Amino acid sequence: MTTRRFLILAILAGVAIAVSVVFWRTYSTPPLRLQGQIEARQYMVSSKVPGRLAEIEFRRGDSVNAGDVVFRIDSPELEAKLTQVDALDTISRSLAQAVEGGTREEKIAAARSEFQKAQAAETMARTTYERTRVLAEQGVVARQRLDEAFTLLRVAEQTRVTAAEVLRLAEAGPREEARTASRAGEDITTSLRDEITELLEDSLAIAPHKGIVSNVLLNPGELVPQGFPVVMITDLDEAWALFNVREDLLRHFSPGTEIDLDIPSLGHQARFKVSHIAALGDFATWRATVPGRGFDMRTFEVEMHPIEPVPGLRAGMSVLLDLPSEEAPTGSQHGTD
């Protein structure tokens, strides 16, 4: 009889415990879970030189070191301009020789011939520009071709001006003004050569920082506009966690606070430190509390950096943070976003 009574009491106690657990789970406030994601520093590799993409040295997922050549742009127009600058330099040297060696009939004839060739080249460049402008207005050719034709016209005009100066000085004979003009012509050609050489060097796009190639936006053979980011490099060593937090929870995220975050993709926790807090835009972050029981709350962006490097951490991974149950909001809320 005692054994039976003891068994009944044990069953009743088990039922009471089960009911208590169910009741506690049903009516207890669960912890508030915040979800963020991993961000990483990105570098856009572009070039000041427009042209056709000749080759790309890396693919998505490849490792890149600072200083590596990422891609190369083929620009025949710049090479043609460098040839024109060489022609200007020849004219400038001819001017200097005329000033220093005196004027002879042969030099005057040569200067006149150079001037006539420069006039013909300018006429051709102007005709080409006007035709290209009409085609560009009709949408037949790209705006870039019009810009190239305009640049060639300006170079031709400058060549004609320099050639005219050479002819004038050759006919007038060497003077102090001629020496000044010769020096000015040399300065012009030197400046133009330096500018074009620098642009040609920039046709080789160099990686500004080490990292992983996260995206390639163009393929070889396609046209590259000026300043277009052809390759994106992600620095995985410079990664951080980003959360959107309501302002009533910000007291847990003071700058310098260290927090353990769950990283489901890696299957373990890592310790992060709060480094930056900033308010998000009003149009998408205002949240209203229960009418008559509170105030409208804003959302803040909280940035956390890992205390130590986390192997395998990549941009886009989710990170989780559980706040104590007493921090869970009471009542329903309405989001205006």
Side-chain angles (χ1 to χ4, degrees):
M1 191 69 178
T2 303
T3 303
R4 183 178 180 183
R5 183 179 299 175
F6 178 77
L7 181 60
I8 294 175
L9 291 176
I11 294 174
L12 293 176
V15 172
I17 292 175
V19 171
S20 300
V21 170
V22 172
F23 182 84
W24 178 80
R25 290 185 176 180
T26 302
Y27 292 96
S28 62
T29 303
L32 179 61
R33 168 163 289 188
L34 301 181
Q35 179 176 350
Q37 70 176 15
I38 298 297
E39 301 286 345
R41 187 77 61 194
Q42 288 187 332
Y43 298 89
M44 310 293 183
V45 184
S46 59
S47 174
K48 294 183 294 184
V49 179
R52 193 171 299 277
L53 186 60
E55 56 184 354
I56 300 179
E57 302 294 339
F58 297 91
R59 296 182 177 181
R60 293 178 60 182
D62 291 345
S63 297
V64 179
N65 293 320
D68 289 345
V69 177
V70 180
F71 62 88
R72 181 176 65 85
I73 293 179
D74 187 13
S75 182
E77 294 80 10
L78 284 179
E79 297 176 358
K81 291 175 185 177
L82 186 60
T83 302
Q84 295 170 0
V85 171
D86 291 336
L88 284 176
D89 184 60
T90 301
I91 295 175
S92 298
R93 291 179 184 274
S94 300
L95 174 61
Q97 293 175 359
V99 171
E100 299 298 333
T103 304
R104 297 187 304 177
E105 291 299 328
E106 295 84 353
K107 292 185 177 181
I108 295 176
R112 184 176 293 109
S113 176
E114 291 293 334
F115 174 69
Q116 291 172 353
K117 288 194 298 183
Q119 282 184 317
E122 180 187 8
T123 301
M124 183 62 185
R126 189 179 303 278
T127 302
T128 301
Y129 170 73
E130 293 297 333
R131 291 174 178 173
T132 306
R133 182 179 60 81
V134 173
L135 293 176
E137 291 176 353
Q138 296 175 354
V140 178
V141 299
R143 182 71 183 183
Q144 179 180 345
R145 303 300 299 179
L146 179 61
D147 295 340
E148 294 171 356
F150 179 75
T151 301
L152 295 177
L153 175 60
R154 293 296 301 274
V155 173
E157 291 175 348
Q158 186 64 48
T159 303
R160 189 262 307 165
V161 171
T162 304
E165 191 70 15
V166 171
L167 177 60
R168 185 182 68 81
L169 293 176
E171 294 174 343
R175 296 179 182 178
E176 183 60 32
E177 294 83 353
R179 293 185 174 90
T180 302
S182 67
R183 290 191 295 268
E186 292 178 356
D187 293 340
I188 290 175
T189 55
T190 301
S191 176
L192 287 174
R193 178 179 284 104
D194 292 342
E195 179 182 359
I196 296 176
T197 301
E198 182 180 353
L199 289 175
L200 285 174
E201 291 177 353
D202 199 65
S203 63
L204 296 177
I206 305 299
H209 200 278
K210 70 173 183 178
I212 303 296
V213 176
S214 56
N215 202 358
V216 178
L217 302 180
L218 292 179
N219 296 316
E222 296 180 335
L223 291 176
V224 182
Q226 183 178 9
F228 184 84
V230 178
V231 175
M232 298 173 59
I233 297 177
T234 301
D235 182 13
L236 298 180
D237 295 334
E238 184 64 22
W240 62 89
L242 195 64
F243 284 86
N244 293 332
V245 181
R246 294 197 319 267
E247 60 180 313
D248 59 333
L249 304 176
L250 281 180
R251 59 182 176 272
H252 296 285
F253 301 94
S254 301
T257 302
E258 297 184 3
I259 302 175
D260 291 328
L261 301 181
D262 290 325
I263 308 176
S265 299
L266 302 180
H268 61 80
Q269 287 187 340
R271 197 162 188 81
F272 286 71
K273 178 187 290 187
V274 177
S275 58
H276 180 68
I277 299 175
L280 294 177
D282 294 346
F283 66 92
T285 60
W286 284 100
R287 298 183 66 85
T289 56
V290 178
R293 295 177 55 187
F295 57 92
D296 291 341
M297 291 184 291
R298 296 195 64 179
T299 300
F300 283 74
E301 188 177 70
V302 178
E303 187 176 306
M304 307 181 194
H305 283 74
I307 301 298
E308 297 179 354
V310 181
L313 192 65
R314 290 185 174 272
M317 287 185 175
S318 298
V319 285
L320 304 177
L321 171 62
D322 290 332
L323 294 179
S325 58
E326 59 269 20
E327 300 299 341
T330 57
S332 61
Q333 293 186 344
H334 304 279
T336 61
D337 52 339

